[in-house]
Structure formats: structure tokens, C-alpha cells
Amino acid sequence: AQHYGWALSQVFDGVDPSLPKPDRVMILEEDIHTSVDFFSYMKATSKLLDHDTTLLAVSAYNDNGHMAADPFRILRSDFFPGLGWMMNRRLWKEELEAKWPKGYWDDWLREPEQRQGRHILRPEFSRTFHFGSKGGTSHNQFGSI
């Protein structure tokens, strides 16, 4: 978690003063495949994230996305699935940066104290696929789907 916090601060603080500071960041781990429309999905939902204060984040992952019926449907959820997600500068700088945990950042982000009743947008049809089979905590439980 500490390396995530460090990286997020570096991105949002700007490592090069000649470049503009980003309004939001997308987080992908090294064992994630993205769909061909991953970036267009994130772009389309970014304005919602920036202007709807009832949203915490946007995720491109859906645990049950392999059973999806509508590839265009976006759902509001009270569960943070991670695995390819986006947050904005306001959330990081005004809220999370000062209290970022030392471990298990994803579980921490799911706690009511962080979520504060806000939702996470997620697609009905998952835009990311986790392919890791060794290490981490997932043990590739979806690898056989």
C-alpha cells in the first residue's frame, strides 16, 4: 500500500513542473488485460466521476462480467472491485492522501469510513481481466472461466 500511496502522490503532485497536473489517474496492475474499449469506457465515465460527488471511483472490473447481457450497461455499486480503476485528484488530495494506509489499501478503501456512502461505477461487461496465476491474493480464482 505504501508504494501505491507514494506513486499516487507523485502523479498528482506532478513530477515535472512543465507538465500539467492530471485531473484523475487510472490504476492497472501488471497482471491485468484490458478490453479494446477500456480507455473509451474510462473517458466516458470520467466526467461523471468528476462532477458526481456521490461517486468514489470508476472500476472497469465486474466479478460477474463473464455472465453479462448488456455490454453498454454501467452499474452503481457499493463495493469497490479494483482491478483497473480510476479516481480523481479531488479524492486523493482532499481526502485519501493524508490517511493512506500502510497495508491492504483495497480492503481499506472498501471500509465505510472511506466510502462514506459513495458508489463505484462498474460495467456490466467487465473491461479488465485478471490473468495472474502466481503470487498476490487472488490465486487466479477466475482463471478457469
Side-chain angles (χ1 to χ4, degrees):
Q2 290 178 339
H3 67 291
Y4 267 78
W6 176 84
L8 288 167
S9 290
Q10 293 295 305
V11 168
F12 283 125
D13 289 343
V15 293
D16 183 342
S18 68
L19 298 174
K21 293 179 181 176
D23 295 325
R24 63 197 78 78
V25 64
M26 289 181 273
I27 299 169
L28 290 164
E29 296 178 11
E30 75 281 357
D31 55 355
I32 300 289
H33 275 223
T34 61
S35 66
V36 296
D37 66 343
F38 170 81
F39 290 105
S40 59
Y41 166 78
M42 290 300 207
K43 181 178 181 182
T45 56
S46 67
K47 296 293 184 204
L48 296 170
L49 180 62
D50 291 343
H51 298 289
D52 185 344
T53 58
T54 67
L55 293 176
L56 179 71
V58 172
S59 178
Y61 184 71
N62 180 349
D63 294 65
N64 298 308
H66 60 283
M67 301 183 293
D70 184 351
F72 300 105
R73 187 173 180 201
I74 298 173
L75 306 163
R76 292 177 82 98
S77 176
D78 61 0
F79 181 76
F80 173 73
L83 297 178
W85 63 286
M86 174 173 55
M87 67 187 255
N88 62 25
R89 165 187 292 288
R90 181 185 70 241
L91 178 67
W92 179 253
K93 297 306 287 180
E94 295 177 11
E95 191 176 329
L96 300 182
E97 183 176 31
K99 61 180 184 173
W100 192 252
K102 294 184 190 236
Y104 305 101
W105 65 268
D106 49 346
D107 291 331
W108 176 82
L109 202 51
R110 293 178 183 114
E111 293 174 358
E113 295 82 15
Q114 278 58 255
R115 204 171 61 72
Q116 299 179 13
R118 293 172 290 196
H119 295 113
I120 293 85
L121 292 182
R122 65 173 175 81
E124 182 170 335
F125 187 84
S126 191
R127 297 320 200 266
T128 58
F129 173 75
H130 179 247
F131 65 85
S133 61
K134 293 182 181 179
T137 58
S138 73
H139 306 293
N140 198 29
Q141 71 267 34
F142 301 113
S144 61
I145 294 177

